[in-house]
Each structure stands twice: as structure tokens, then as C-alpha cells.
Coordinates of all heavy atoms in Angstrom, one line a residue:
M4 N 95.0 -12.1 27.4 CA 94.0 -12.8 26.6 C 92.6 -12.5 27.1 O 92.4 -12.5 28.3 CB 94.3 -14.3 26.6 CG 93.4 -15.1 25.8 SD 94.0 -16.8 25.7 CE 93.2 -17.3 24.3
S5 N 91.7 -12.2 26.1 CA 90.4 -11.9 26.5 C 89.6 -13.1 26.8 O 89.8 -14.2 26.3 CB 89.7 -11.2 25.3 OG 90.3 -10.0 25.0
T6 N 88.6 -12.9 27.7 CA 87.7 -14.0 28.1 C 86.5 -14.0 27.1 O 86.2 -13.0 26.4 CB 87.2 -13.9 29.5 OG1 86.4 -12.7 29.6 CG2 88.4 -13.9 30.5
Y7 N 85.8 -15.1 27.2 CA 84.6 -15.2 26.3 C 83.6 -14.0 26.6 O 83.1 -13.4 25.6 CB 83.9 -16.5 26.6 CG 82.6 -16.7 25.9 CD1 82.5 -17.1 24.6 CD2 81.4 -16.4 26.6 CE1 81.3 -17.2 23.9 CE2 80.1 -16.5 25.9 CZ 80.1 -16.9 24.6 OH 78.9 -17.0 24.0
S8 N 83.3 -13.7 27.8 CA 82.4 -12.7 28.2 C 82.9 -11.3 27.7 O 82.1 -10.5 27.3 CB 82.1 -12.7 29.7 OG 83.3 -12.5 30.4
E9 N 84.2 -11.1 27.7 CA 84.7 -9.8 27.3 C 84.6 -9.7 25.7 O 84.1 -8.7 25.2 CB 86.2 -9.7 27.6 CG 86.5 -9.5 29.1 CD 88.0 -9.6 29.4 OE1 88.8 -10.2 28.6 OE2 88.3 -9.1 30.5
V10 N 84.8 -10.8 25.0 CA 84.7 -10.8 23.6 C 83.2 -10.6 23.2 O 82.9 -9.8 22.3 CB 85.3 -12.1 23.0 CG1 84.9 -12.2 21.5 CG2 86.8 -12.1 23.2
L11 N 82.3 -11.3 23.9 CA 80.9 -11.2 23.6 C 80.4 -9.7 23.9 O 79.7 -9.2 23.1 CB 80.1 -12.1 24.5 CG 78.6 -12.1 24.3 CD1 78.2 -12.4 22.9 CD2 77.9 -13.1 25.3
S12 N 80.9 -9.1 24.9 CA 80.5 -7.7 25.2 C 81.0 -6.8 24.1 O 80.3 -5.9 23.7 CB 81.1 -7.3 26.6 OG 80.9 -6.0 26.9
Q13 N 82.2 -7.0 23.7 CA 82.8 -6.2 22.6 C 82.0 -6.4 21.3 O 81.7 -5.4 20.6 CB 84.3 -6.5 22.4 CG 85.1 -6.1 23.6 CD 86.6 -6.6 23.4 OE1 86.9 -7.3 22.5 NE2 87.4 -6.2 24.4
A14 N 81.6 -7.6 21.0 CA 80.9 -7.9 19.8 C 79.5 -7.3 19.8 O 79.0 -6.9 18.8 CB 80.7 -9.4 19.6
Q15 N 78.9 -7.1 21.0 CA 77.6 -6.5 21.1 C 77.7 -5.0 20.9 O 76.7 -4.3 20.6 CB 77.0 -6.8 22.5 CG 76.6 -8.2 22.6 CD 76.2 -8.6 24.0 OE1 76.6 -8.0 25.0 NE2 75.4 -9.7 24.2
N16 N 78.9 -4.4 21.0 CA 79.1 -3.0 20.9 C 79.6 -2.5 19.6 O 79.9 -1.4 19.4 CB 80.0 -2.5 22.0 CG 79.4 -2.6 23.4 OD1 78.2 -2.4 23.6 ND2 80.2 -3.0 24.4
I17 N 79.6 -3.4 18.6 CA 80.0 -3.0 17.2 C 78.8 -3.0 16.3 O 77.7 -3.4 16.7 CB 81.1 -4.0 16.7 CG1 80.6 -5.4 16.6 CG2 82.4 -3.9 17.5 CD1 81.6 -6.4 16.0
T18 N 79.0 -2.4 15.2 CA 77.8 -2.2 14.2 C 77.4 -3.5 13.7 O 78.1 -4.5 13.7 CB 78.2 -1.3 13.1 OG1 79.2 -2.0 12.3 CG2 78.8 0.1 13.5
P19 N 76.1 -3.6 13.2 CA 75.7 -4.8 12.6 C 76.5 -5.3 11.5 O 76.7 -6.5 11.3 CB 74.2 -4.5 12.2 CG 73.8 -3.4 13.1 CD 75.1 -2.6 13.3
E20 N 77.1 -4.4 10.7 CA 77.9 -4.7 9.6 C 79.2 -5.4 10.1 O 79.7 -6.4 9.6 CB 78.3 -3.5 8.7 CG 77.1 -3.0 7.9 CD 76.2 -2.1 8.8 OE1 76.6 -1.6 9.9 OE2 75.0 -1.9 8.4
E21 N 79.8 -4.8 11.2 CA 81.0 -5.4 11.8 C 80.7 -6.8 12.4 O 81.5 -7.7 12.4 CB 81.6 -4.4 12.8 CG 82.2 -3.2 12.2 CD 82.6 -2.2 13.2 OE1 81.8 -2.0 14.2 OE2 83.6 -1.5 13.0
Q22 N 79.5 -6.9 13.0 CA 79.1 -8.2 13.6 C 79.0 -9.2 12.5 O 79.4 -10.4 12.7 CB 77.7 -8.1 14.3 CG 77.8 -7.3 15.6 CD 76.5 -7.1 16.3 OE1 75.4 -7.3 15.7 NE2 76.5 -6.7 17.6
Q23 N 78.4 -8.9 11.3 CA 78.3 -9.8 10.2 C 79.7 -10.2 9.7 O 79.9 -11.4 9.5 CB 77.5 -9.1 9.0 CG 77.3 -10.0 7.8 CD 76.5 -11.3 8.1 OE1 75.5 -11.2 8.9 NE2 76.8 -12.4 7.5
Q24 N 80.6 -9.3 9.6 CA 81.9 -9.5 9.2 C 82.6 -10.5 10.2 O 83.3 -11.4 9.8 CB 82.7 -8.2 9.0 CG 84.1 -8.4 8.5 CD 84.9 -7.1 8.3 OE1 84.4 -6.1 8.7 NE2 86.1 -7.2 7.8
L25 N 82.4 -10.2 11.5 CA 83.0 -11.0 12.5 C 82.5 -12.4 12.5 O 83.2 -13.4 12.6 CB 82.7 -10.4 13.9 CG 83.2 -11.2 15.1 CD1 84.7 -11.3 15.1 CD2 82.7 -10.5 16.4
L26 N 81.2 -12.6 12.2 CA 80.5 -13.9 12.1 C 81.1 -14.6 10.9 O 81.4 -15.8 11.1 CB 79.0 -13.7 11.9 CG 78.2 -15.0 11.7 CD1 78.3 -15.9 13.0 CD2 76.8 -14.6 11.5
E27 N 81.3 -14.0 9.8 CA 81.9 -14.7 8.7 C 83.3 -15.1 8.9 O 83.7 -16.3 8.6 CB 81.9 -13.8 7.5 CG 80.5 -13.5 7.0 CD 80.4 -12.4 5.9 OE1 81.4 -11.8 5.5 OE2 79.2 -12.1 5.5
V28 N 84.1 -14.3 9.6 CA 85.5 -14.7 9.9 C 85.5 -15.8 10.9 O 86.3 -16.8 10.8 CB 86.3 -13.4 10.5 CG1 87.6 -13.9 11.0 CG2 86.4 -12.4 9.4
L29 N 84.7 -15.8 12.0 CA 84.6 -16.9 12.9 C 84.2 -18.2 12.3 O 84.7 -19.2 12.6 CB 83.7 -16.5 14.1 CG 84.2 -15.4 15.1 CD1 83.1 -15.0 16.1 CD2 85.5 -15.9 15.8
S30 N 83.2 -18.1 11.4 CA 82.7 -19.3 10.7 C 83.8 -19.9 9.9 O 84.0 -21.1 9.8 CB 81.6 -18.9 9.8 OG 80.4 -18.5 10.5
A31 N 84.6 -19.1 9.2 CA 85.7 -19.6 8.4 C 86.8 -20.2 9.3 O 87.3 -21.3 8.9 CB 86.4 -18.4 7.6
L32 N 87.0 -19.6 10.4 CA 88.0 -20.2 11.4 C 87.5 -21.6 11.8 O 88.3 -22.5 11.9 CB 88.2 -19.3 12.6 CG 89.0 -18.0 12.4 CD1 88.9 -17.2 13.7 CD2 90.5 -18.4 12.1
M33 N 86.2 -21.7 12.2 CA 85.7 -23.0 12.6 C 85.7 -24.0 11.5 O 86.1 -25.2 11.8 CB 84.3 -22.8 13.1 CG 84.2 -22.0 14.5 SD 85.3 -22.7 15.8 CE 84.6 -24.4 15.9
R34 N 85.4 -23.6 10.3 CA 85.4 -24.6 9.2 C 86.9 -25.1 9.0 O 87.1 -26.3 8.8 CB 85.0 -23.9 7.9 CG 83.5 -23.9 7.7 CD 83.1 -23.5 6.3 NE 83.6 -22.3 5.8 CZ 83.0 -21.1 6.1 NH1 81.9 -21.0 6.7 NH2 83.6 -20.0 5.7
D35 N 87.8 -24.2 9.0 CA 89.2 -24.6 8.9 C 89.6 -25.5 10.0 O 90.3 -26.5 9.8 CB 90.2 -23.4 8.9 CG 90.0 -22.6 7.7 OD1 89.4 -23.0 6.7 OD2 90.5 -21.4 7.7
R36 N 89.2 -25.2 11.2 CA 89.6 -26.1 12.4 C 88.9 -27.5 12.3 O 89.6 -28.5 12.5 CB 89.1 -25.4 13.7 CG 89.4 -26.3 14.9 CD 89.1 -25.6 16.2 NE 90.1 -24.5 16.4 CZ 90.1 -23.7 17.4 NH1 89.1 -23.8 18.3 NH2 91.0 -22.8 17.6
V37 N 87.7 -27.5 11.8 CA 87.0 -28.8 11.7 C 87.7 -29.6 10.6 O 87.9 -30.8 10.8 CB 85.5 -28.6 11.4 CG1 84.8 -29.9 11.0 CG2 84.8 -28.0 12.7
T38 N 88.0 -29.0 9.5 CA 88.6 -29.8 8.4 C 90.0 -30.3 8.7 O 90.4 -31.4 8.3 CB 88.6 -29.0 7.1 OG1 89.3 -27.8 7.3 CG2 87.2 -28.8 6.6
T39 N 90.7 -29.5 9.5 CA 92.1 -29.9 9.8 C 92.1 -30.9 11.0 O 93.0 -31.7 11.1 CB 93.0 -28.7 10.2 OG1 92.4 -28.0 11.3 CG2 93.2 -27.8 9.0
Q40 N 91.1 -30.9 11.8 CA 91.1 -31.9 13.0 C 90.3 -33.1 12.7 O 90.3 -34.0 13.5 CB 90.5 -31.2 14.2 CG 91.4 -30.1 14.7 CD 90.9 -29.4 16.0 OE1 89.8 -29.7 16.4 NE2 91.7 -28.6 16.6
T41 N 89.6 -33.2 11.6 CA 88.7 -34.4 11.3 C 89.6 -35.5 10.9 O 90.3 -35.4 9.9 CB 87.7 -34.1 10.2 OG1 86.9 -33.0 10.6 CG2 86.8 -35.3 9.9
P42 N 89.6 -36.6 11.7 CA 90.4 -37.8 11.3 C 89.8 -38.5 10.1 O 88.6 -38.2 9.7 CB 90.3 -38.7 12.5 CG 89.0 -38.3 13.2 CD 88.8 -36.8 12.9
D43 N 90.6 -39.3 9.4 CA 90.0 -40.0 8.2 C 88.9 -41.0 8.7 O 88.8 -41.2 9.9 CB 91.1 -40.7 7.4 CG 91.8 -41.8 8.2 OD1 91.1 -42.6 8.9 OD2 93.0 -41.8 8.2
S44 N 88.1 -41.4 7.8 CA 86.9 -42.2 8.2 C 87.3 -43.5 9.0 O 86.5 -43.9 9.8 CB 86.1 -42.6 6.9 OG 86.9 -43.4 6.1
S45 N 88.4 -44.1 8.8 CA 88.7 -45.3 9.5 C 89.0 -45.0 11.0 O 88.9 -45.8 11.8 CB 89.9 -46.0 8.9 OG 91.1 -45.2 9.0
Q46 N 89.4 -43.8 11.3 CA 89.7 -43.4 12.7 C 88.5 -42.8 13.3 O 88.3 -42.8 14.5 CB 90.8 -42.4 12.7 CG 92.2 -42.9 12.3 CD 93.2 -41.9 12.3 OE1 92.9 -40.7 12.2 NE2 94.5 -42.3 12.4
R47 N 87.6 -42.2 12.5 CA 86.4 -41.5 13.0 C 85.4 -42.5 13.6 O 84.8 -42.2 14.7 CB 85.8 -40.7 11.9 CG 84.7 -39.7 12.4 CD 84.2 -38.9 11.3 NE 85.1 -38.9 10.1 CZ 84.7 -38.8 8.9 NH1 83.4 -38.6 8.6 NH2 85.5 -38.9 7.9
L48 N 85.1 -43.6 13.0 CA 84.1 -44.5 13.4 C 84.8 -45.6 14.3 O 85.8 -46.1 14.0 CB 83.5 -45.2 12.2 CG 82.7 -44.3 11.3 CD1 82.3 -45.0 10.1 CD2 81.6 -43.6 12.0
P49 N 84.2 -45.9 15.4 CA 84.8 -46.9 16.3 C 84.7 -48.3 15.6 O 83.7 -48.6 14.9 CB 83.9 -46.9 17.5 CG 82.6 -46.2 17.1 CD 83.0 -45.3 16.0
R50 N 85.7 -49.1 15.8 CA 85.7 -50.4 15.2 C 84.9 -51.3 16.0 O 85.0 -51.4 17.2 CB 87.2 -50.9 15.1 CG 88.1 -50.0 14.4 CD 87.9 -49.9 12.9 NE 88.7 -50.9 12.2 CZ 88.5 -51.2 11.0 NH1 87.5 -50.6 10.3 NH2 89.2 -52.0 10.3
T51 N 84.0 -52.1 15.3 CA 83.2 -53.0 16.0 C 84.0 -54.3 16.3 O 84.7 -54.8 15.5 CB 81.9 -53.4 15.2 OG1 81.3 -52.2 14.8 CG2 81.0 -54.3 15.9
N52 N 83.8 -54.8 17.5 CA 84.5 -56.0 17.9 C 83.7 -57.2 17.4 O 82.8 -57.7 18.1 CB 84.7 -56.1 19.4 CG 85.5 -57.3 19.8 OD1 85.9 -58.1 19.0 ND2 85.8 -57.4 21.1
L53 N 83.9 -57.6 16.2 CA 83.1 -58.7 15.6 C 83.3 -60.0 16.2 O 82.4 -60.8 16.2 CB 83.4 -58.7 14.1 CG 83.0 -57.5 13.3 CD1 83.4 -57.7 11.8 CD2 81.6 -57.1 13.4
K54 N 84.4 -60.3 16.8 CA 84.7 -61.5 17.5 C 83.7 -61.7 18.6 O 83.3 -62.8 19.0 CB 86.1 -61.6 18.0 CG 87.1 -61.7 16.9 CD 88.5 -61.8 17.4 CE 89.5 -61.9 16.3 NZ 90.9 -61.9 16.8
R55 N 83.3 -60.6 19.2 CA 82.3 -60.7 20.3 C 81.0 -61.3 19.9 O 80.3 -61.9 20.7 CB 82.1 -59.3 20.9 CG 81.2 -59.2 22.0 CD 81.1 -57.8 22.6 NE 80.5 -57.0 21.6 CZ 80.1 -55.7 21.9 NH1 80.4 -55.2 23.0 NH2 79.5 -55.0 21.0
W56 N 80.6 -61.1 18.6 CA 79.3 -61.6 18.1 C 79.5 -62.9 17.4 O 78.6 -63.4 16.8 CB 78.7 -60.6 17.1 CG 78.5 -59.3 17.8 CD1 79.3 -58.2 17.7 CD2 77.4 -58.9 18.7 NE1 78.8 -57.1 18.5 CE2 77.6 -57.6 19.1 CE3 76.3 -59.6 19.1 CZ2 76.7 -56.9 19.9 CZ3 75.4 -59.0 20.0 CH2 75.7 -57.6 20.4
G57 N 80.6 -63.6 17.5 CA 80.9 -64.8 16.8 C 79.9 -65.9 16.9 O 79.5 -66.6 16.0
G58 N 79.3 -66.1 18.1 CA 78.4 -67.2 18.3 C 77.0 -66.7 18.3 O 76.1 -67.5 18.6
F59 N 76.7 -65.5 18.0 CA 75.3 -65.0 18.1 C 74.4 -65.7 17.1 O 73.3 -66.1 17.5 CB 75.4 -63.5 17.8 CG 74.0 -62.8 18.0 CD1 73.5 -62.7 19.2 CD2 73.4 -62.3 16.9 CE1 72.2 -62.1 19.4 CE2 72.1 -61.7 17.1 CZ 71.6 -61.6 18.3
L60 N 74.8 -65.8 15.8 CA 74.0 -66.6 14.8 C 74.9 -67.7 14.3 O 76.1 -67.5 14.0 CB 73.6 -65.6 13.7 CG 72.6 -64.5 14.1 CD1 72.4 -63.6 12.9 CD2 71.3 -65.1 14.6
S61 N 74.3 -68.8 14.1 CA 75.1 -70.0 13.6 C 75.5 -69.8 12.2 O 76.4 -70.5 11.7 CB 74.3 -71.2 13.9 OG 73.1 -71.2 13.2
K62 N 74.8 -69.1 11.4 CA 75.0 -69.0 9.9 C 74.5 -67.6 9.5 O 73.8 -66.9 10.2 CB 74.4 -70.1 9.2 CG 72.9 -70.1 9.4 CD 72.2 -71.3 8.6 CE 70.7 -71.2 9.0 NZ 69.9 -71.8 8.1
R63 N 74.8 -67.3 8.2 CA 74.2 -66.1 7.6 C 72.7 -66.3 7.5 O 72.2 -67.3 7.2 CB 74.8 -65.8 6.2 CG 76.2 -65.4 6.3 CD 76.7 -64.9 5.0 NE 77.6 -63.8 5.4 CZ 77.6 -62.6 4.8 NH1 76.8 -62.3 3.9 NH2 78.5 -61.7 5.3
V64 N 72.0 -65.2 7.8 CA 70.5 -65.2 7.8 C 70.0 -64.2 6.8 O 70.5 -63.1 6.8 CB 70.0 -64.9 9.2 CG1 68.5 -64.9 9.3 CG2 70.5 -66.0 10.2
D65 N 69.0 -64.6 6.1 CA 68.3 -63.7 5.2 C 67.3 -62.9 6.1 O 66.4 -63.5 6.7 CB 67.5 -64.4 4.1 CG 66.7 -63.5 3.2 OD1 67.0 -62.3 3.2 OD2 65.8 -64.0 2.5
A66 N 67.5 -61.6 6.2 CA 66.7 -60.8 7.1 C 65.2 -60.8 6.8 O 64.4 -60.9 7.8 CB 67.2 -59.3 7.0
L67 N 64.8 -60.8 5.6 CA 63.4 -60.8 5.2 C 62.8 -62.1 5.6 O 61.7 -62.2 6.2 CB 63.2 -60.5 3.7 CG 61.8 -60.5 3.3 CD1 60.9 -59.5 4.1 CD2 61.7 -60.3 1.8
E68 N 63.5 -63.2 5.3 CA 63.0 -64.6 5.7 C 62.9 -64.7 7.2 O 61.9 -65.2 7.7 CB 64.0 -65.6 5.1 CG 63.6 -67.0 5.4 CD 64.6 -68.0 4.8 OE1 65.2 -67.8 3.8 OE2 64.9 -69.0 5.5
L69 N 63.8 -64.2 7.9 CA 63.8 -64.3 9.4 C 62.6 -63.5 9.9 O 61.8 -63.9 10.8 CB 65.1 -63.8 10.0 CG 65.1 -63.7 11.5 CD1 65.0 -65.1 12.1 CD2 66.4 -63.0 12.0
Q70 N 62.4 -62.3 9.3 CA 61.3 -61.4 9.7 C 59.9 -62.1 9.5 O 59.0 -62.1 10.3 CB 61.3 -60.1 9.0 CG 60.3 -59.1 9.4 CD 60.4 -57.8 8.6 OE1 60.8 -57.8 7.5 NE2 60.0 -56.7 9.3
L71 N 59.8 -62.7 8.3 CA 58.5 -63.4 7.9 C 58.3 -64.6 8.9 O 57.2 -64.9 9.3 CB 58.6 -63.8 6.5 CG 58.5 -62.7 5.5 CD1 58.7 -63.2 4.0 CD2 57.2 -61.9 5.6
Q72 N 59.4 -65.3 9.2 CA 59.3 -66.5 10.1 C 58.8 -66.0 11.4 O 58.0 -66.7 12.1 CB 60.6 -67.2 10.1 CG 60.7 -68.4 11.0 CD 62.1 -68.9 11.2 OE1 63.0 -68.5 10.5 NE2 62.2 -69.9 12.0
L73 N 59.4 -65.0 12.0 CA 59.0 -64.5 13.3 C 57.6 -64.0 13.3 O 56.8 -64.4 14.3 CB 59.9 -63.3 13.7 CG 61.4 -63.7 14.1 CD1 62.2 -62.4 14.3 CD2 61.4 -64.6 15.3
R74 N 57.1 -63.3 12.3 CA 55.7 -62.9 12.2 C 54.8 -64.1 12.2 O 53.7 -64.1 12.8 CB 55.5 -62.0 11.1 CG 56.1 -60.6 11.3 CD 55.9 -59.7 10.1 NE 56.5 -58.4 10.4 CZ 56.5 -57.4 9.5 NH1 56.0 -57.5 8.3 NH2 57.0 -56.2 9.9
A75 N 55.2 -65.1 11.4 CA 54.4 -66.3 11.3 C 54.2 -67.0 12.7 O 53.2 -67.5 13.1 CB 54.9 -67.3 10.3
E76 N 55.3 -67.0 13.5 CA 55.3 -67.6 14.8 C 54.4 -66.8 15.7 O 53.7 -67.4 16.6 CB 56.7 -67.7 15.4 CG 57.6 -68.7 14.7 CD 59.1 -68.6 15.2 OE1 59.3 -67.9 16.1 OE2 59.9 -69.3 14.6
W77 N 54.4 -65.5 15.6 CA 53.5 -64.6 16.4 C 52.1 -64.9 16.1 O 51.2 -64.8 17.0 CB 53.8 -63.2 16.2 CG 55.2 -62.7 16.6 CD1 56.0 -63.3 17.5 CD2 55.9 -61.5 16.2 NE1 57.2 -62.6 17.6 CE2 57.1 -61.5 16.8 CE3 55.6 -60.5 15.3 CZ2 58.0 -60.5 16.6 CZ3 56.5 -59.5 15.1 CH2 57.7 -59.5 15.7
D78 N 51.7 -65.2 14.9 CA 50.3 -65.4 14.5 C 49.8 -66.8 14.9 O 48.6 -67.0 15.0 CB 50.2 -65.3 13.0 CG 50.4 -63.9 12.5 OD1 50.2 -63.0 13.3 OD2 50.7 -63.7 11.3
E79 N 50.7 -67.7 15.3 CA 50.3 -69.0 15.7 C 49.6 -69.0 17.0 O 49.8 -68.3 17.9 CB 51.5 -70.0 15.8 CG 52.0 -70.3 14.4 CD 53.3 -71.2 14.4 OE1 53.8 -71.5 15.5 OE2 53.8 -71.5 13.3

């Protein structure tokens, strides 16, 4: 099996047309690998532990109202 440096050396010794063809083939290989290894969206994103934030706010808060309230307090 060839090492990375051997493959790179060989790629530097082929014509620009062959390098372009190699690049296209490698790109296709990587696209295929990424699409077959990509988990579905529920597995891709880490699940937030919402129970951890249970006592952070006592109720639902309107973000704009909270922001305006905080700015008013800063101006006092």
C-alpha cells in the first residue's frame, strides 16, 4: 500500500490533465464518503440536556421585553 508522500510524489509527476482527472476522481470519492457516513440530523446534533436548565427561568420570557427591561435598568 502506498503512503501519502508516495502518492503525492506520483501526482506531481503526471501531466496537468491527469492531475485534473485525479482531482475530480478524488473529489467524487470524498463526496461519496461524506454522504454515506453522514448520520441523520437527529444523530448529528448533540441533544441538549434541557432538564439541566429547568430552574434557570421561572417562566417563559419575551426576549424583546427582557432586553428592553435590562436596558432601562442600565439607564437608571
Side-chain angles (χ1 to χ4, degrees):
M4 180 170 198
S5 298
T6 64
Y7 173 83
S8 56
E9 291 171 341
V10 172
L11 180 59
S12 176
Q13 292 171 358
Q15 292 171 336
N16 292 321
I17 58 178
T18 66
E20 292 80 19
E21 290 172 321
Q22 288 177 345
Q23 180 65 36
Q24 185 180 4
L25 178 62
L26 178 61
E27 291 169 4
V28 171
L29 289 173
S30 295
L32 285 172
M33 290 306 299
R34 275 193 304 275
D35 291 345
R36 178 175 288 179
V37 168
T38 56
T39 58
Q40 290 182 351
T41 301
D43 62 46
S44 60
S45 65
Q46 293 175 339
R47 192 174 345 149
L48 299 173
R50 304 291 267 169
T51 304
N52 185 357
L53 296 179
K54 290 180 183 178
R55 181 175 68 173
W56 299 101
F59 185 67
L60 295 173
S61 58
K62 59 180 177 159
R63 290 195 144 223
V64 175
D65 178 19
L67 180 57
E68 184 181 320
L69 178 62
Q70 183 181 29
L71 293 174
Q72 180 185 353
L73 288 172
R74 287 181 179 175
E76 290 174 7
W77 295 339
D78 291 338
E79 291 177 358

